[in-house]
Amino acid sequence: MTGSQRSLVATALVLVITLCSTFLVTQCAGDVARFDLTANNLFTLSDGTRQIIDGVQKPLTMKLYYSKSLVDRSGQDRLRELNNYYFYVRDLLRSYERYGKGKLALEEYDPRGFSEAEQKADEYGVRRFPGGEDEGLYFGM
């Protein structure tokens, strides 16, 4: 083996070892390995939030309604910007769910025209905005 072949094999082995190690740490450590590296710790739960979640006595289901398929199909940049906000809200609710350890559950719904999810969103009072021909745009809980 030449020197360049050895360094290529060594680089490939380091890459494989790094990927395997990362996978094992995330699988074994679970939530322990989570770090919030966002500006202003956007996904770090405040003490007040933790106290509220700790005080939940009965299991609570959070139902998030967002017309993701409508937004994705629209192709409109102003609607697609909603996706960023949706992902932020969804990830924050998932943080609540993880911290709640079974006390909180998150269910996500994509209300489409004339669907059961749309009917439930209307029943729960989730605001409907004009979206498509037969569909409304929903974003709420």
Side-chain angles (χ1 to χ4, degrees), residues 2-3 18 31-32 43 46 50-51 56 83 86 98 107 118 122 125 141:
T2 66
T18 302
D31 288 340
V32 176
F43 297 102
S46 68
R50 290 173 194 235
Q51 287 176 348
V56 172
N83 277 338
Y86 159 72
R98 270 192 308 276
E107 294 178 1
E118 182 183 51
D122 288 334
M141 290 181 63

Side-chain angles (χ1 to χ4, degrees), residues 68-127:
K68 186 161 180 3
S69 59
L70 174 65
V71 171
D72 289 344
R73 283 193 323 266
S74 77
Q76 297 178 27
D77 288 336
R78 69 178 183 81
L79 287 181
R80 292 188 145 206
E81 290 174 10
L82 276 176
N83 277 338
N84 292 336
Y85 190 58
Y86 159 72
F87 290 128
Y88 168 73
V89 169
R90 184 203 60 194
D91 292 345
L92 189 59
L93 293 173
R94 285 181 179 173
S95 296
Y96 296 169
E97 183 180 37
R98 270 192 308 276
Y99 182 79
K101 296 182 177 126
K103 291 181 182 180
L104 300 176
L106 176 62
E107 294 178 1
E108 297 178 58
Y109 298 95
D110 184 357
R112 297 177 184 196
F114 309 106
S115 68
E116 185 178 338
E118 182 183 51
Q119 182 181 356
K120 287 292 187 186
D122 288 334
E123 286 176 19
Y124 288 132
V126 177
R127 188 165 176 199

Side-chain angles (χ1 to χ4, degrees), residues 30-43:
D31 288 340
V32 176
R34 291 189 183 276
F35 298 102
D36 184 358
L37 302 176
T38 60
N40 301 321
N41 294 321
L42 292 175
F43 297 102

